[in-house]
Amino acid sequence: MGSGARLAAEHPRAAPAARPAEPLSTAQEPAALEPPAPASKRRMLIIVNPYAATVSDRLRHLVVYALQGRYEVDAVDTEARGHATEICREAALEGYDVVVAFGGDGTVNEAANGLLGSSTPLCCLPGGSANVFGRMLGIPGELVDATEHVLGLADRWSPRKVDLGVVNGRCFTFASGLGLDANVVERVDANPRLKARLGPYYFTWVAVGTFVRRYLLREALLEVQRAAHERSDVTGGDGGHAHRGVTAIVQNGAPFTYFKDRPIHIAEGAALDSGTLAGVLLRRATPAGMPSLAWRAVARGARVVQHRQVSDLESFTQLTVRSIDGRPLPLQADGDYLGEVQEARYSILPRALNVIA
């Protein structure tokens, strides 16, 4: 049974007809048939990305309808890139008790950037192909289960703080990368229909094609340099020494992503409340080495950092990645392609984001 059917079965009264979203407008639908609500409901703003992989008008209204049983719910649709950030800044000023990002990891990223530094906590509902950050927080990856989970939060309200990574001034919630990783994100984002239809299988197909086309002949070269004062497990203690490679991945939490329900672990030592980042450097991408690297990423018990072409960056608070052959480097953060850069500067903001999960 699909998400829409399950929600409809559990909340049998018809959801209201779709209507154009009005920013921060109060929802008018009757309360859902849930356990008795507290005398004063918390104010919830749901930010919906209508273009996310699994979001439809029907699911949007069923989810809003269900959550009205325990919260005073407003819902607004995003209209363009960056819109969720603007909405969240306004929501924090208007005193909402929680903002729920209903979309993919890109929507969550924009919401986190908008709530940065405020006391308003962020929550998530899965609407994308991976929903990495929500799963990290303990929110189920299936929409009906996630909605029930968020309903239950009304009785166990306990916001906490998590770290945010930063790359060139843009915050990210779980991971960022340059090189092959970002090239794949760029190509996947260019075909949202196949991304929504095939999910992780499309990512895999694009990764293979990108490797063959761009990394077998003449891959762009980059160098990674940690701050001189930080310990470096790559360099044996010389934190200021630079190392060359073709792809760099930086994580604020673990896992790096998911293949369907299976977590994909890349860097080691990453955690949302550690106060540090973790990362890896792929020194070379060769036809002989890539299959074994892919196996290590998906096999239980295998470790990517033990691959002969991978350097483990472990824990750090500052990192610089720059091009060394003049060609710009593709950059992604939380699965969103950010464009090409000559240099990426990473840092961390400890305990910068309030979340509720």
Side-chain angles (χ1 to χ4, degrees), residues 7 11 27 29-35 37-38 41-48 59-75 98-102 123-126 143-154 157:
L7 279 169
H11 304 278
E29 294 87 343
L33 300 177
E34 295 294 335
K41 296 180 181 179
R42 291 184 173 87
R43 295 180 66 206
M44 170 184 287
L45 177 64
I46 304 178
I47 299 178
V48 185
L59 284 179
R60 174 195 191 275
H61 288 293
L62 285 172
V63 166
V64 170
Y65 184 62
L67 291 175
Q68 284 176 330
R70 304 307 305 273
Y71 303 92
E72 182 183 332
V73 180
D74 295 335
V98 61
V99 171
V100 177
F102 182 17
C123 191
C124 311
L125 284 173
L143 182 58
V144 174
D145 294 337
T147 303
E148 293 175 349
H149 181 89
V150 175
L151 283 167
L153 293 178
W157 196 258

Side-chain angles (χ1 to χ4, degrees), residues 24-154:
L24 307 186
S25 61
T26 304
Q28 300 298 323
E29 294 87 343
L33 300 177
E34 295 294 335
S40 178
K41 296 180 181 179
R42 291 184 173 87
R43 295 180 66 206
M44 170 184 287
L45 177 64
I46 304 178
I47 299 178
V48 185
N49 179 0
Y51 306 104
T54 62
V55 176
S56 66
D57 284 342
R58 176 175 172 78
L59 284 179
R60 174 195 191 275
H61 288 293
L62 285 172
V63 166
V64 170
Y65 184 62
L67 291 175
Q68 284 176 330
R70 304 307 305 273
Y71 303 92
E72 182 183 332
V73 180
D74 295 335
V76 59
D77 290 354
T78 59
E79 299 174 356
R81 189 164 187 164
H83 191 202
T85 299
E86 298 175 9
I87 296 170
C88 283
R89 288 171 181 160
E90 184 180 350
L93 292 175
E94 292 195 7
Y96 278 87
D97 295 301
V98 61
V99 171
V100 177
F102 182 17
D105 287 307
T107 305
V108 174
N109 177 282
E110 289 189 11
N113 276 270
L115 294 176
L116 174 66
S118 77
S119 60
T120 305
L122 174 66
C123 191
C124 311
L125 284 173
S129 56
N131 309 299
V132 178
F133 188 64
R135 294 191 192 189
M136 284 184 179
L137 296 178
I139 298 172
E142 202 281 327
L143 182 58
V144 174
D145 294 337
T147 303
E148 293 175 349
H149 181 89
V150 175
L151 283 167
L153 293 178

Side-chain angles (χ1 to χ4, degrees), residues 17-343:
R19 67 180 189 280
E22 298 179 4
L24 307 186
S25 61
T26 304
Q28 300 298 323
E29 294 87 343
L33 300 177
E34 295 294 335
S40 178
K41 296 180 181 179
R42 291 184 173 87
R43 295 180 66 206
M44 170 184 287
L45 177 64
I46 304 178
I47 299 178
V48 185
N49 179 0
Y51 306 104
T54 62
V55 176
S56 66
D57 284 342
R58 176 175 172 78
L59 284 179
R60 174 195 191 275
H61 288 293
L62 285 172
V63 166
V64 170
Y65 184 62
L67 291 175
Q68 284 176 330
R70 304 307 305 273
Y71 303 92
E72 182 183 332
V73 180
D74 295 335
V76 59
D77 290 354
T78 59
E79 299 174 356
R81 189 164 187 164
H83 191 202
T85 299
E86 298 175 9
I87 296 170
C88 283
R89 288 171 181 160
E90 184 180 350
L93 292 175
E94 292 195 7
Y96 278 87
D97 295 301
V98 61
V99 171
V100 177
F102 182 17
D105 287 307
T107 305
V108 174
N109 177 282
E110 289 189 11
N113 276 270
L115 294 176
L116 174 66
S118 77
S119 60
T120 305
L122 174 66
C123 191
C124 311
L125 284 173
S129 56
N131 309 299
V132 178
F133 188 64
R135 294 191 192 189
M136 284 184 179
L137 296 178
I139 298 172
E142 202 281 327
L143 182 58
V144 174
D145 294 337
T147 303
E148 293 175 349
H149 181 89
V150 175
L151 283 167
L153 293 178
D155 296 321
R156 53 180 190 278
W157 196 258
S158 183
R160 62 187 177 98
K161 293 181 179 293
V162 298
D163 306 335
L164 287 176
V166 184
V167 56
N168 290 357
R170 171 71 174 264
C171 292
F172 60 93
T173 59
F174 63 91
S176 174
L178 298 104
L180 177 59
D181 167 51
N183 277 140
V184 172
V185 169
E186 176 189 13
R187 292 189 60 197
V188 168
D189 283 352
N191 200 328
R193 289 187 178 181
L194 284 177
K195 177 182 178 181
R197 181 179 178 183
L198 301 177
Y201 298 103
Y202 184 54
F203 274 89
T204 303
W205 182 79
V206 170
V208 173
T210 302
F211 169 69
V212 172
R213 293 178 183 180
R214 298 193 182 187
Y215 286 80
L216 280 182
L217 299 177
R218 185 171 176 261
E219 69 271 24
L221 297 177
L222 56 82
E223 67 176 10
V224 174
Q225 186 168 20
R226 297 172 58 155
H229 66 276
E230 295 198 69
R231 171 178 172 264
S232 174
D233 293 280
V234 176
T235 62
D238 181 8
H241 189 69
H243 281 256
R244 296 186 174 188
V246 296
T247 294
I249 290 175
V250 175
Q251 292 180 220
N252 180 49
F256 171 66
T257 189
Y258 289 85
F259 187 91
K260 301 187 75 174
D261 292 330
R262 177 172 295 186
I264 305 299
H265 295 281
I266 303 294
E268 297 187 356
L272 292 175
D273 56 359
S274 65
T276 60
L277 300 169
V280 297
L281 171 68
L282 176 62
R283 296 190 297 274
R284 293 185 63 198
T286 65
M290 293 304 288
S292 61
L293 180 63
W295 174 82
R296 286 184 177 276
V298 300
R300 290 185 175 89
R303 300 171 62 196
V304 168
V305 295
Q306 292 183 335
H307 191 274
R308 62 183 180 277
Q309 294 295 346
V310 173
S311 295
D312 183 6
L313 303 179
E314 283 202 6
S315 298
F316 56 88
T317 60
Q318 296 179 30
L319 186 79
T320 300
V321 184
R322 59 175 61 91
S323 171
I324 58 176
D325 60 5
R327 285 181 290 171
L329 302 170
L331 172 66
Q332 68 88 9
D334 287 344
D336 262 9
Y337 181 65
L338 301 183
E340 295 182 328
V341 298
Q342 288 290 334
E343 181 179 85

